Amino acid sequence: MKASKYTKETIMNVGVVDRGFPNFRVGDAIIVAQKIKEGDKERLQMFEGDVIAYRHHGIATTFTIRRIGANNVAIERIFPYYSPLIESIKFVHRGKVRRAKLFYMRNRIGRAARVKKTQEEQRSATGA
């Protein structure tokens, strides 16, 4: 049987619904609340960091978050955007970047590993 009614574009958009998450892009700092199931209990775990990659592929859309954990160990997690395990995403601040992927941040340490805030964010933080 020929599947003439299904194209690559229609297959990629199956299951794509508006999740109600705030708009974010690469360089932004966000907090992701993910459901964690431990035995018969369920809890929310927060993961805060900078978005270093965003992959647009329909239902398979993912984003990568990087943060610096204890003892200056970097932690990266890849989250599927349409996963039912993601409870909410909270926007923290906008970052000033000039690239679509920030994989070069993996080679940086200390203050060089930070993403600068945009000027609007800096002005609102100082109260000017």
Side-chain angles (χ1 to χ4, degrees):
M1 183 171 131
K2 247 184 177 177
S4 61
K5 295 181 182 172
Y6 296 109
T7 62
K8 191 180 214 179
E9 291 80 20
T10 58
I11 291 171
M12 283 182 56
N13 291 327
V14 171
V16 174
V17 295
D18 183 29
R19 295 293 310 265
F21 296 149
N23 291 332
F24 61 92
R25 58 185 188 216
V26 174
D28 295 348
I30 61 174
I31 300 173
V32 177
Q34 184 180 20
K35 294 178 191 173
I36 303 291
K37 192 168 187 178
E38 296 173 339
D40 57 343
K41 295 182 181 179
E42 195 171 282
R43 65 180 178 89
L44 287 179
Q45 183 177 29
M46 305 296 184
F47 191 85
E48 180 177 359
D50 297 324
V51 179
I52 64 167
Y54 199 101
R55 180 177 170 265
H56 301 276
H57 275 275
I59 194 69
T61 298
T62 60
F63 57 96
T64 305
I65 299 181
R66 179 181 174 89
R67 77 164 189 206
I68 305 299
N71 299 326
N72 292 329
V73 176
I75 302 163
E76 285 186 13
R77 290 187 73 181
I78 300 171
F79 292 98
Y81 188 82
Y82 294 101
S83 171
L85 296 178
I86 295 179
E87 182 72 24
S88 65
I89 296 176
K90 183 181 174 198
F91 181 81
V92 179
H93 65 80
R94 180 94 43 215
K96 180 182 178 185
V97 294
R98 296 171 65 182
R99 295 186 181 205
K101 305 279 193 259
L102 302 180
F103 295 137
Y104 68 91
M105 299 295 274
R106 295 173 176 164
N107 299 328
R108 305 229 171 151
I109 56 172
R111 291 194 60 169
R114 294 185 188 167
V115 176
K116 291 184 180 180
K117 291 183 180 179
T118 59
Q119 287 188 348
E120 296 87 30
E121 295 288 333
Q122 290 176 350
R123 274 192 231 126
S124 64
T126 59

